[in-house]
Amino acid sequence: MPTLDSNVSIHRATREDAAFFPDIERASGVLFRQLEALAWIADDDVMAEAAHLPLIDAGAVWVARDAEVGVVGFLSAQQVGGVLHVWQMAVNPSHQRRGLGRALLRAAAVFARDADLEAITLTTFLEVPWNEPFYVGLGFTRIPDDALDDRLREVLAKEAQAGLPRERRCALSLNPRVLAD
Ligand SMILES: CC(C)(COP(=O)(O)OP(=O)(O)OC[C@H]1O[C@@H](n2cnc3c(N)ncnc32)[C@H](O)[C@@H]1OP(=O)(O)O)[C@@H](O)C(=O)NCCC(=O)NCCS
């Protein structure tokens, strides 16, 4: 497994790891307090521990583990047909901006490449520095709204029903080889 610095490395998640995910996601969300219109996201619901378990069982969840403090970040994804869809990723504020987000995405890309999947997809906020621009910087491209397939259209519609402003959301796609090779 790749080592990021002397203390942190990326691993496939275990079921026990999932207990830490809601607190990490909640803590990571404080970033949104910097943005007046999206500050409420910091207090929004997070993905429940139970929702991660089937994804872990299917083998498409990774954690960043600090040898001293334990799990400090995760990426939770699901294979849907020929695509790996990332449902959530978060890194604890204590460990942000050290390359863990990129390393978690790289682990997902290696998995997707080795499984011969055509793409990694996700939905995120446009123009928020740690969302769309972060992913685009890693090689993701935005799928124009009029080119969305039914699956991603439905993901975005459900998010809008849950209160996320549709005009600020987008879907992104990456050829896994761009990040994995
Ligand atoms: C998205 C997230 C997981 C990235 O984790 P990370 O470990 O900080 O990611 P990396 O260190 O690999 O890369 C971070 C890059 O994102 C951008 N970024 C992250 N935080 C930023 C901030 N506060 N302001 C500006 N740019 C930021 C920068 O481009 C940064 O690279 P740099 O540090 O070299 O400038 C983390 O920001 C997070 O947990 N955010 C809150 C939850 C969230 O939005 N999840 C994604 C849902 S789609």
Side-chain angles (χ1 to χ4, degrees):
M1 287 292 164
T3 300
L4 294 152
D5 60 34
S6 54
N7 277 339
V8 186
S9 50
I10 305 295
H11 302 268
R12 200 74 72 96
T14 66
R15 297 189 122 234
E16 290 67 37
D17 291 332
F20 300 99
F21 294 2
D23 281 349
I24 291 171
E25 188 183 339
R26 217 170 278 117
S28 77
V30 299
L31 275 177
F32 286 92
R33 292 205 200 281
Q34 297 171 32
L35 309 171
E36 204 182 331
L38 295 177
W40 62 273
I41 297 283
D43 302 308
D44 199 19
D45 292 342
V46 299
M47 198 168 154
E49 176 184 348
H52 292 286
L53 295 176
L55 310 186
I56 290 172
D57 291 344
V61 182
W62 293 268
V63 291
R65 186 171 286 127
D66 182 301
E68 285 173 15
V69 298
V71 179
V72 292
F74 70 88
L75 182 156
S76 203
Q78 179 181 24
Q79 188 175 333
V80 188
V83 167
L84 186 70
H85 186 78
V86 178
W87 286 110
Q88 190 53 273
M89 66 178 292
V91 170
N92 198 285
S94 61
H95 285 68
Q96 284 174 2
R97 304 199 75 168
R98 292 203 217 164
L100 273 58
R102 179 193 169 92
L104 286 163
L105 280 164
R106 185 161 191 282
V110 168
F111 170 91
R113 178 199 64 193
D114 293 349
D116 231 4
L117 302 183
E118 69 205 37
I120 300 179
T121 59
L122 55 84
T123 58
T124 195
F125 280 107
L126 284 162
E127 293 168 11
V128 170
W130 52 92
N131 281 181
E132 179 231 11
F134 161 62
Y135 294 113
V136 168
L138 295 178
F140 280 81
T141 53
R142 183 176 171 194
I143 305 171
D145 282 350
D146 60 5
L148 291 168
D149 62 16
D150 289 346
R151 178 182 66 86
L152 286 169
R153 199 181 299 283
E154 196 180 325
V155 171
L156 287 161
K158 283 197 174 144
E159 290 175 351
Q161 278 165 19
L164 299 188
R166 177 65 185 86
E167 71 285 358
R168 299 200 64 169
R169 301 289 292 172
C170 66
L172 301 177
S173 174
L174 175 80
N175 177 337
R177 278 161 194 81
V178 169
L179 206 49
D181 286 349

